[in-house]
């Protein structure tokens, strides 16, 4: 029975850990539609994002992320010594179509594990 409690505890921890949202903030430059994601110090008391290369920018963010505006004209993009005004946004991963059916997959895996443990007499109910 102790092994069963351990398995249930690990299962609960797995669900708690995977329930976190992975949203972050960034700045979209309106004319190009590029999302800048590397924050730096503020400029004119607005959030500022630096652009030093491709790793600091997402060129088509709406195909990868769910982008929601926090405020319009509310951030700066710094490239070298120039600052460009952009839209301050929150972005996070788009939901995958398999996400709607993940509970079915988890139930199937848990049923198989339970069957395996029951057949091996690791879990017994009296």
């Amino acid at each position: 029975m102790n092994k069963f409690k351990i398995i249930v505890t690990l299962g609960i921890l797995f669900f708690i850990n995977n329930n976190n949202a992975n949203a972050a903030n960034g700045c979209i430059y309106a004319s190009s539609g590029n999302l800048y994601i590397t924050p730096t110090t503020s400029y004119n008391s607005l959030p500022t994002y630096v652009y030093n290369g491709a790793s600091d920018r997402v060129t088509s963010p709406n195909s990868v992320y769910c982008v929601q505006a926090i405020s319009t004209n509310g951030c700066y993009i710094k490239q070298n010594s120039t600052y460009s005004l952009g839209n301050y946004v929150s972005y996070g991963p788009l939901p995958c179509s398999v996400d709607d059916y993940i509970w079915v997959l988890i139930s199937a895996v848990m049923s198989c594990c339970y069957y395996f443990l029951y057949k091996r007499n690791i879990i017994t109910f009296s």
Side-chain angles (χ1 to χ4, degrees), residues 38-94:
T38 306
T40 185
T41 58
S42 64
Y43 176 72
N44 285 346
S45 72
L46 290 176
T48 304
Y49 290 80
V50 66
Y51 175 63
N52 290 323
S55 64
D56 297 327
R57 174 180 74 182
V58 179
T59 54
S60 56
N62 290 324
S63 65
V64 181
Y65 298 115
C66 178
V67 179
Q68 296 179 340
I70 295 175
S71 67
T72 56
N73 295 331
C75 60
Y76 284 102
I77 298 137
K78 179 184 177 189
Q79 185 173 6
N80 298 329
S81 61
T82 60
Y83 291 87
S84 303
L85 199 56
N87 299 327
Y88 193 49
V89 296
S90 172
Y91 65 94
L94 285 174

Side-chain angles (χ1 to χ4, degrees), residues 7-122:
I7 292 170
V8 169
T9 303
L10 291 176
I12 290 170
L13 290 175
F14 173 79
F15 285 112
I16 290 172
N17 185 34
N18 287 326
N19 199 16
N20 297 333
N22 295 322
N25 295 335
C27 190
I28 288 187
Y29 190 51
S31 64
S32 66
N34 294 333
L35 172 66
Y36 296 87
I37 57 175
T38 306
T40 185
T41 58
S42 64
Y43 176 72
N44 285 346
S45 72
L46 290 176
T48 304
Y49 290 80
V50 66
Y51 175 63
N52 290 323
S55 64
D56 297 327
R57 174 180 74 182
V58 179
T59 54
S60 56
N62 290 324
S63 65
V64 181
Y65 298 115
C66 178
V67 179
Q68 296 179 340
I70 295 175
S71 67
T72 56
N73 295 331
C75 60
Y76 284 102
I77 298 137
K78 179 184 177 189
Q79 185 173 6
N80 298 329
S81 61
T82 60
Y83 291 87
S84 303
L85 199 56
N87 299 327
Y88 193 49
V89 296
S90 172
Y91 65 94
L94 285 174
C96 185
S97 61
V98 77
D99 290 344
D100 295 335
Y101 303 103
I102 196 70
W103 63 271
V104 174
L105 298 172
I106 291 172
S107 297
V109 169
M110 289 177 65
S111 297
C112 290
C113 290
Y114 173 77
Y115 179 75
F116 173 77
L117 294 173
Y118 185 75
K119 281 295 189 182
R120 301 279 180 167
N121 290 327
I122 295 172

